[in-house]
Amino acid sequence: NNCIRILDANIASNLLPTGKSFSIVVWVNKLANATNTSPFLFAYRDSANYGINLILYGTGNTSTDFGFIVEKNGGASLSSRSGAVNTSGWHMYTGVYNNDGMYKNSIVKYYDATQVGSRVSSSNATSAWSKPASGQGGGIVIGTAPSTVNSANAIHNLKGYIGEVRVYDHALTPDEVATLYKLGIQKHI
């Protein structure tokens, strides 16, 4: 399958440091005739099988749910799967995890420049990830699920194109997401 796997534990742990805010931005053009039911755009798994998923649910290019999931060892898992989106053509999918200030332990997801979901945990537990173990399917994966989830199941493979992937070491603001969308739309449309 066509995907990218970053199994180096140091790269993954430096991109997604333990307990810190982060943002994932992925530009995708899913094929209209794609029949896979839940392709992963971006995923991360640590050695304890906790991690991050940016995923589309559904087939074809209409009424697809867009999900952002953050699962942490020692902290509450956060998931936002509401909000159908049209996946026809190029679109920007953004997941923001905020672990600072009044929005501590919260996630927000954006479709293009529009917020389409959020979730806040009341847990004060410290979020933590172990370093990924490449032998256990850990690390960063783009375009499919980690092997601990995938188990050679083609429903998780993206059928389409990925234009770019960005990982930020902070929680993007709505204005930053809007700016990224305006800049990216010129390249991808």
Side-chain angles (χ1 to χ4, degrees):
N1 70 38
N2 297 324
C3 66
I4 298 171
R5 295 181 187 275
I6 303 171
L7 298 177
D8 184 296
N10 292 319
I11 292 173
S13 62
N14 287 335
L15 284 175
L16 300 164
T18 297
K20 303 291 184 189
S21 298
F22 64 86
S23 302
I24 311 288
V25 179
V26 183
W27 276 91
V28 173
N29 183 350
K30 185 179 173 191
L31 296 177
N33 62 353
T35 57
N36 50 335
T37 56
S38 52
F40 281 65
L41 307 180
F42 180 96
Y44 168 81
R45 281 287 179 271
D46 70 7
S47 59
N49 207 24
Y50 291 98
I52 302 157
N53 300 320
L54 203 57
I55 186 171
L56 297 176
Y57 298 97
T59 59
N61 62 9
T62 56
S63 298
T64 298
D65 289 335
F66 159 45
F68 180 51
I69 303 158
V70 178
E71 305 164 310
K72 303 170 302 303
N73 186 10
S77 294
L78 296 167
S79 176
S80 178
R81 186 183 163 178
S82 61
V85 296
N86 183 340
T87 59
S88 178
W90 284 102
H91 293 282
M92 186 177 85
Y93 300 90
T94 304
V96 177
Y97 172 69
N98 194 338
N99 203 26
D100 299 313
M102 66 185 284
Y103 299 107
K104 189 174 184 89
N105 208 12
S106 65
I107 60 173
V108 179
K109 64 180 184 170
Y110 297 87
Y111 169 73
D112 293 333
T114 303
Q115 181 180 327
V116 293
S118 64
R119 182 80 47 145
V120 178
S121 172
S122 59
S123 171
N124 289 325
T126 304
S127 62
W129 282 287
S130 307
K131 284 192 173 185
S134 59
Q136 297 176 3
I140 295 172
V141 184
I142 300 167
T144 191
S147 56
T148 53
V149 173
N150 200 12
S151 301
N153 193 340
I155 65 167
H156 298 306
N157 299 334
L158 175 69
K159 293 180 182 172
Y161 306 97
I162 295 179
E164 65 183 277
V165 176
R166 293 177 177 222
V167 180
Y168 292 89
D169 64 354
H170 65 282
L172 292 173
T173 66
D175 288 340
E176 288 174 313
V177 172
T179 298
L180 286 172
Y181 178 71
K182 287 176 189 170
L183 295 171
I185 199 74
Q186 297 169 6
K187 291 193 283 186
H188 298 292
I189 302 289

